[in-house]
Amino acid sequence: MADEEEVEDEGPKKKSKMPLIIGLVLALAGGGGGFYAVQSGMLFGSHEEVAADSHAEVEPMPDVVFVPVDPLIINLGGRSRNQFLRFRASLEVDGAYEAEVAALLPRVLDILNGYLRAVDVKELEDPSALIRLRAQMLRRIQTVTGEGQVKDLLIMEFVLN
């Protein structure tokens, strides 16, 4: 029995906490060194360089005007489960041509209405077709308004009901 008591008294040996303490000290030293390296500009450049670059001359924004196109509702007929297309857009125009483009809006609406009625319903339902449709509509609008007057067509609403 004496042997059994000696075994129970010894118990499991306690592990040293020295590796944990060394790891914690190294982590704090590494974090502090990284903070210093970033703050001093050793890594990722200095803050003074960024401040100097941010005050560089910036080109003024071009004179751009957005001319809204009246919303269109196009009847697609009984050919598909979708009966109507609701379309709304704006034209990106150089400020010097705003009045001229606004005066031609009835022709733009006519071109868009005719084109959208002629497009196959399956193509309208394809989500990836919107980019091609937009390019085709812009080309037709630029033909009506004249080259260089309309820069872009921004589609605000394209809903099939």
Side-chain angles (χ1 to χ4, degrees):
M1 281 194 151
D3 291 333
E4 291 178 10
E5 289 178 10
E6 289 178 15
V7 172
E8 290 178 12
D9 289 338
E10 289 178 16
K13 291 184 179 180
K14 291 185 178 181
K15 293 184 179 179
S16 173
K17 292 186 180 181
M18 188 56 93
L20 179 65
I21 293 172
I22 291 174
L24 183 61
V25 168
L26 289 175
L28 288 173
F35 176 77
Y36 174 75
V38 171
Q39 281 299 105
S40 67
M42 292 172 145
L43 293 176
F44 309 121
S46 68
H47 295 290
E48 291 80 27
E49 292 174 11
V50 173
D53 291 342
S54 65
H55 294 296
E57 287 189 34
V58 178
E59 293 183 26
M61 292 288 292
D63 184 24
V64 175
V65 178
F66 297 98
V67 178
V69 176
D70 293 336
L72 292 172
I73 297 178
I74 297 166
N75 185 359
L76 300 175
R79 299 175 288 180
S80 73
R81 60 186 176 96
N82 297 313
Q83 297 297 319
F84 296 97
L85 167 66
R86 193 170 58 214
F87 178 80
R88 188 171 57 96
S90 290
L91 302 175
E92 183 178 335
V93 178
D94 191 4
Y97 301 118
E98 179 184 9
E100 295 171 19
V101 171
L104 293 172
L105 276 179
R107 286 191 179 184
V108 169
L109 283 171
D110 181 51
I111 290 294
L112 291 176
N113 196 2
Y115 175 71
L116 290 172
R117 284 183 186 274
V119 174
D120 189 28
V121 176
K122 290 180 183 178
E123 190 173 353
L124 290 175
E125 292 172 346
D126 182 18
S128 64
L130 189 59
I131 296 169
R132 288 188 309 273
L133 293 170
R134 183 175 164 268
Q136 289 292 323
M137 288 186 280
L138 178 60
R139 185 179 65 79
R140 284 168 169 73
I141 291 169
Q142 288 174 337
T143 302
V144 168
T145 60
E147 283 297 318
Q149 292 189 7
V150 176
K151 293 181 179 181
D152 202 2
L153 172 69
L154 295 100
I155 298 177
M156 313 304 264
E157 189 174 12
F158 193 88
V159 179
L160 292 168
N161 289 337

